Amino acid sequence: MKKKKPVILICMLILAGAFAAPAQDQMESTEEEQVFVPLVTTEPLQYTVEAGDTLMGIARKAYGESSGWRAIYQENRDQLEQAGGLKEGLVITLPVRPQESSTTASASAAIRPQSGNTPFARADTTVQQRLESSLAELNALREKIVMEKIPLSRKLRDLEDHLIEVRREYQQTSRLLDSRTLDLSNLRSEIKSRRDEKNYLSNLLNEYIRNFESRLHIAELHRYADKLEAAKLAPENSNLSDLEIYRTQADLVAISLDRLDDALGGTRFKGAAVDSHGSVKQGSFVLLGPAALFRSEDGESVGTAEQRLGSLEPTVIGFEKPADAKAAADLVLSASGQFPLDPTLGNAHKIEATKQTLWEHISKGGVVMAPILGLAAAALLVALYKWIQLARLRKPSEEHIRVLLNAVAEHDREKAAEEAAAIGGPAGEMLVIGVGHIKEPRELIEEVMYEKMLSTRLKLQSFLPFIAITASSAPLLGLLGTVTGIINTFKLITVFGSGDVKTLSGGISEALVTTEFGLIVAIPSLLIHAFLSRKARGVTDQMEKAAVTFMNQLSKTPYKHTKGAA
């Protein structure tokens, strides 16, 4: 099969040459008769485009072949793009024919076979014609591509410009959106800051209103009651806007500033107060700083206006001196004069009201005060009795004891008995007993003297334990009163609650007063017991000292013992 293909191809070429020979001969004769003269030889030429011209056609006119269209396009590219392609009347430049094109044409002419009537020559001519036709079609297609490329390039450039413009608009829109977003964020922050400021101002105004109300004088409460009520209820009124609420509260602030100006120079206004009899009377107030005066319309009640616990109305406290009352009445009537000022602002009256008599103070302690006061009275009587008893006892004199010892040393019994009796007191009585048994054994003398000292000690210490018992039991009785007072207080809390402190004062007073008096009784009783015990112990110590001195002297100069001696 591979060997048959060249034979078939040769036969087809022979047949094609046979059929095409007459036409080829005619074309060659025509070409031999026409001599082609190119338009462009050595210098560029200006050419005006005619109707139906193409770049290949212009190249054939200029150079004798269509392959020169590329040089024409490159030379006039910008002009063609601006004109939108070949237009009739457009003047273009035809450049000098490129050397490679002429060389290619010469080579084509050189390799072109000589005309002849051989089958191979005819086949070659046919193939050459087809080749030129294909090349012409290719050139036409390229020219079409070039012609379509220019508007497409322009359209592409327009689209690119539009894309750039769209991108620019997108970037501007993005920047605008970012700016708007930032502005919105700043606006939200500003709104939040303003809301915080609004809440702060609202809280500040509410706090100011509360403080303003608490610092008003009791006489001014009715004067500013309406404005205060409106300012306090404004934040809770949902029908009011924020501006209206602020205006209502700002009005109260303005009123408070006006009040400060009035208070510095004094102001007078109408009002009502409670007199000393409990009657509410209409009259006029004069307010100067924190002090206020009141005078009723009938002139019967004149005094300072103060607040009493549990009362919402000002109470009139009268003046003790008539001159002060007259000055206050004149000041209220004429709005000028002397102002009788209480520097304590009513505290002196309150302190005076708390004063009470001793019996009133004791009666607040309740029934437990009876045994406490009974013990106190008994201990006081015992202490007086023991103090008088101990004060009347004579102390042994050093001179008399020395004389007694000298008599004992001289064995002068009568003189010793006289000196012992002269000493007096418990010590003298003990020495008298010792001298009476001076001739007895030492042990017997010591026993009789010690017996006398014991009897004296018991006599001196009598009733002293009662004072000690009083000192120890009085605080316990006070503690008992404290417990009963607290119990009564809790009973009152159960009945009346813990809102009114005044109702609880009875039980608290009982608890504190009983403890107070228990300590008042116990502390002096303890001190008195210690004093009297020390004084009684001193007497017994003196007796013991005198006895030891007597026995020592008796040991130095002993008597001759006699049996049966009294």
Side-chain angles (χ1 to χ4, degrees):
M1 293 296 294
K2 290 182 180 180
K3 292 181 180 181
K4 291 181 179 180
K5 285 183 178 180
V7 176
I8 296 172
L9 182 58
I10 292 171
C11 293
M12 291 177 63
L13 290 174
I14 293 172
L15 291 175
F19 287 106
Q24 181 69 24
D25 293 341
Q26 186 178 357
M27 290 178 60
E28 289 178 356
S29 61
T30 304
E31 289 178 357
E32 290 176 358
E33 292 176 357
Q34 297 178 353
V35 179
F36 177 77
V37 179
L39 295 176
V40 180
T41 55
T42 59
E43 294 181 358
L45 180 65
Q46 299 295 325
Y47 177 78
T48 303
V49 179
E50 299 175 354
D53 280 344
T54 62
L55 288 177
M56 289 186 177
I58 296 172
R60 291 193 189 97
K61 293 179 181 180
Y63 309 118
E65 58 182 2
S66 61
S67 60
W69 70 272
R70 297 179 184 274
I72 298 173
Y73 174 74
Q74 293 294 334
E75 183 69 21
N76 302 276
R77 180 176 180 178
D78 296 336
Q79 190 175 0
L80 292 174
E81 290 181 355
Q82 293 178 359
L86 285 175
K87 299 291 181 68
E88 184 178 358
L90 179 66
V91 179
I92 62 175
T93 302
L94 301 178
V96 178
R97 181 179 182 183
Q99 293 297 326
E100 56 181 2
S101 300
S102 59
T103 305
T104 305
S106 301
S108 299
I111 62 173
R112 182 178 299 172
Q114 299 292 330
S115 60
N117 295 324
T118 61
F120 287 101
R122 290 193 297 270
D124 177 64
T125 302
T126 303
V127 172
Q128 187 67 29
Q129 291 176 352
R130 291 181 179 178
L131 178 61
E132 291 179 357
S133 175
S134 299
L135 290 175
E137 185 179 356
L138 177 61
N139 292 333
L141 182 60
R142 288 177 176 175
E143 184 178 359
K144 184 178 180 181
I145 291 173
V146 170
M147 297 305 294
E148 292 180 354
K149 182 179 180 181
I150 294 173
L152 289 176
S153 299
R154 183 180 297 106
K155 186 175 181 181
L156 177 62
R157 186 169 62 252
D158 294 341
L159 291 175
E160 290 177 349
D161 295 339
H162 181 66
L163 177 60
I164 293 172
E165 184 67 24
V166 170
R167 286 179 177 174
R168 186 182 301 109
E169 292 178 359
Y170 171 74
Q171 292 175 357
Q172 292 178 354
T173 305
S174 298
R175 287 193 295 270
L176 181 61
L177 180 60
D178 294 339
S179 177
R180 294 289 177 82
T181 303
L182 181 60
D183 293 341
L184 181 60
S185 178
N186 294 334
L187 185 59
R188 287 175 178 172
S189 301
E190 186 71 17
I191 291 174
K192 183 178 181 300
S193 177
R194 293 295 177 265
R195 285 177 178 173
D196 293 340
E197 291 179 0
K198 168 184 167 295
N199 294 332
Y200 173 74
L201 290 176
S202 178
N203 295 332
L204 192 63
L205 288 173
N206 292 333
E207 185 68 21
Y208 180 82
I209 292 170
R210 288 193 295 269
N211 293 335
F212 175 71
E213 183 180 11
S214 63
R215 295 180 182 180
L216 284 176
H217 195 274
I218 183 64
E220 298 178 287
L221 290 179
H222 290 289
R223 184 184 182 187
Y224 299 108
D226 296 337
K227 293 293 184 180
L228 277 171
E229 192 70 16
K232 288 191 295 185
L233 296 179
E236 300 177 0
N237 191 349
S238 60
N239 296 325
L240 297 179
S241 63
D242 293 339
L243 182 59
E244 293 174 340
I245 293 174
Y246 286 135
R247 284 179 177 173
T248 305
Q249 294 176 337
D251 291 341
L252 184 63
V253 174
I255 291 174
S256 66
L257 296 178
D258 295 338
R259 173 186 173 272
L260 289 177
D261 295 336
D262 295 340
L264 292 176
T267 181
R268 183 175 61 174
F269 54 91
K270 297 291 184 179
V274 179
D275 61 4
S276 58
H277 302 291
S279 301
V280 178
K281 292 189 175 183
Q282 298 293 327
S284 299
F285 290 95
V286 170
L287 181 67
L288 179 62
L293 298 177
F294 176 78
R295 180 186 181 278
S296 62
E297 294 178 351
D298 54 10
E300 296 180 357
S301 298
V302 179
T304 59
E306 299 175 3
Q307 184 177 11
R308 287 294 179 87
L309 184 64
S311 175
L312 298 178
E313 297 290 341
T315 303
V316 180
I317 306 298
F319 294 100
E320 296 181 358
K321 298 180 180 180
D324 293 338
K326 185 176 183 304
D330 295 339
L331 178 63
V332 175
L333 285 175
S334 61
S336 63
Q338 294 182 349
F339 192 101
L341 178 64
D342 180 10
T344 63
L345 299 178
N347 292 329
H349 295 288
K350 296 177 182 178
I351 294 173
E352 186 67 23
T354 59
K355 291 183 179 180
Q356 54 190 356
T357 62
L358 178 61
W359 176 249
E360 292 175 347
H361 187 61
I362 292 174
S363 62
K364 290 183 177 181
V367 296
V368 183
M369 289 298 297
I372 293 177
L373 294 178
L375 284 176
L380 180 60
L381 293 176
V382 171
L384 289 175
Y385 169 73
K386 295 300 295 182
W387 182 76
I388 294 172
Q389 181 187 19
L390 294 174
R392 294 179 61 184
L393 294 177
R394 293 177 59 184
K395 295 182 180 180
S397 173
E398 296 290 339
E399 182 65 24
H400 287 88
I401 292 177
R402 186 169 57 254
V403 174
L404 173 63
L405 295 178
N406 291 332
V408 172
E410 294 175 357
H411 293 197
D412 189 352
R413 183 175 180 182
E414 294 179 358
K415 186 178 179 180
E418 292 176 359
E419 293 296 333
I423 292 174
E429 294 176 0
M430 181 189 65
L431 290 175
V432 169
I433 294 174
V435 171
H437 296 80
I438 195 171
K439 293 184 177 182
E440 301 294 334
R442 179 184 177 87
E443 290 79 7
L444 180 60
I445 298 174
E446 290 179 353
E447 290 294 331
V448 294
M449 293 178 67
Y450 185 66
E451 180 182 359
K452 180 60 178 177
M453 187 173 61
L454 286 179
S455 62
T456 303
R457 179 181 297 173
L458 292 175
K459 185 178 179 180
L460 293 176
Q461 291 183 351
S462 62
F463 297 108
L464 289 180
F466 178 78
I467 300 177
I469 291 172
T470 301
S472 59
S473 60
L476 297 178
L477 290 173
L479 180 60
L480 176 62
T482 301
V483 173
T484 56
I486 296 299
I487 291 173
N488 293 333
T489 301
F490 278 105
K491 287 180 179 179
L492 294 175
I493 291 175
T494 304
V495 177
F496 300 104
S498 59
D500 189 2
V501 181
K502 193 172 182 180
T503 58
L504 309 179
S505 61
I508 297 175
S509 298
E510 179 181 354
L512 296 179
V513 169
T514 53
T515 304
E516 175 191 5
F517 276 91
L519 295 176
I520 288 174
V521 172
I523 294 173
S525 299
L526 185 62
L527 295 176
I528 291 172
H529 177 265
F531 171 74
L532 295 177
S533 297
R534 180 69 184 86
K535 196 171 183 63
R537 192 179 301 110
V539 173
T540 57
D541 289 343
Q542 290 176 356
M543 292 176 65
E544 187 175 356
K545 179 182 178 183
V548 171
T549 303
F550 178 78
M551 294 304 299
N552 289 336
Q553 184 62 42
L554 190 61
S555 298
K556 293 177 182 179
T557 58
Y559 276 75
K560 183 178 180 181
H561 297 166
T562 57
K563 295 182 179 180

